[in-house]
Every structure is written in structure tokens, then in C-alpha cells.
Amino acid sequence: SKWYVAFTLLPCWALLLRRRAAETLFVSACLLALPAAVYLLTFLPWFERGYGLLDWLELQQAMAKETAAHRGYNQYQLELDTSATMWFLKPVAYVDVAFGGGPPTVFLGLSLAPVWLLTIPAVALAAARAVRAREESAALLGLFFGCSYLPFVLAFRPIWAHTAFAVLPFALMAVAQAVLWAVRRWRHGNLWLLGYLA
């Protein structure tokens, strides 16, 4: 039910249509109609409480305004990492507190530096492989990483580290590919891999 899935769904849809124009209906059903239906179904309990389609459209408009201007609900959150430009340049953290029936629960997330700090070099390596060796998988990985990451970098409001979950699959794939590429080409690559994993 998160809107940022569109950043990767739309390029994926466009690429599949280029390859399989004859399957336009199938590709569109899988990558446009099905996600739209799932999104709508998340509001089923809301509709069951008596709200109508006009209410839903007003809610979508209010959500879009909130998404564009969201600055958090707690002032202390603005002291945390709120810039997506730093996600892969330094270790970043996210903290939140939940209050329930008992004592407050603290949620703490911290990026794993040996993985996250390799993301930008790994994506650059994928881009280089895409250009030099014409590796389609590397080009697609770079495309999907860019489509999912750049909207957060270009946002005009704070973006907290937990939003990186939308980018994380592509970052992890790029790092894994880069590590395997290095292991296969470097002398004593397996020792380097063991050191990295340790």
C-alpha cells in the first residue's frame, strides 16, 4: 500500500512492453491492474465503515499532500538522519518509540556499514559492466536502483532511513554482484570474501 512502489513498477512495465508488445494486456494486468487492485483492497475495511468513493478520493488527495510535506510527528526525529543522500555514504540510523499498555518500546534501526557503504561503488560497477560488457542484468539493476533511490534524494522534505526498504533489494543485489565479481577476479578472492563476511 506504499506509493513508492510505482517508481520501480512503471519502468518494469515499460521494459516488458518493449519486449513483449503482443502480451500488452497480460503485462499491464500483472504490473498495473493487480497492484492497483491490491492497493484498493487495503481500503476495504475503511469502505466497510461507510465511506464512499468520493471520501476515498479526498483521502488520497489528503495523503498526497501529507506525503509531500511530511516532517514527522516528533521533533526529535528531525535530529536523526533525514536525508536520503547520506544513506549509502555513512552509517545511518532510525529510532521510534511506541507506547502501549506497558512501558514504551524503542525501535532502533542502524545500517550495516560493510554492506551499505559498498552500495554506491557496487552500483557504479554495475553501470560500468552494463556499458563495457553490455550486461543487461547489470543495466536493469542500475535502472531499478536509480528509479527507486532518486525520488527520495530529490524530495524536498525529510526522508528517514526506514524508507530505504524500498531501495534495499536493489542495493543488496548490487553489493552481492560486486562481491562475487571481485571474488572471481581477485587473487585470493575467497580469503577476501571470508574477511568481508567476518
Side-chain angles (χ1 to χ4, degrees), residues 17-114:
L17 282 186
R18 276 187 58 210
R19 292 184 178 179
R20 301 178 179 187
E23 299 175 8
T24 300
L25 188 60
F26 175 72
V27 169
S28 297
C30 290
L31 295 178
L32 298 179
L34 181 61
V38 169
Y39 182 74
L40 283 170
L41 285 173
T42 61
F43 291 94
L44 189 59
W46 189 77
F47 284 118
E48 288 175 345
R49 290 199 312 255
Y51 293 101
L53 188 58
L54 190 57
D55 298 316
W56 184 80
L57 292 172
E58 288 174 2
L59 175 64
Q60 299 308 300
Q61 184 179 21
M63 288 169 49
K65 286 179 184 174
E66 172 62 19
T67 297
H70 185 69
R71 300 200 57 82
Y73 302 112
N74 298 312
Q75 188 61 35
Y76 79 87
Q77 284 184 325
L78 292 176
E79 296 176 22
L80 298 171
D81 298 302
T82 59
S83 173
T85 57
M86 303 313 291
W87 285 352
F88 305 111
L89 300 177
K90 71 177 187 113
V92 294
Y94 177 77
V95 179
D96 202 359
V97 180
F99 299 95
T105 302
V106 176
F107 297 99
L108 173 63
L110 183 65
S111 64
L112 184 61

Side-chain angles (χ1 to χ4, degrees), residues 164-197:
F165 285 128
V167 183
L168 196 56
F170 309 110
L172 294 177
M173 282 189 274
V175 169
Q177 278 190 354
V179 167
L180 287 175
W181 181 87
V183 164
R184 292 179 181 139
R185 283 162 183 77
W186 290 355
R187 187 175 176 179
H188 308 297
N190 288 335
L191 289 175
W192 282 102
L193 177 61
L194 287 174
Y196 175 72
L197 292 175

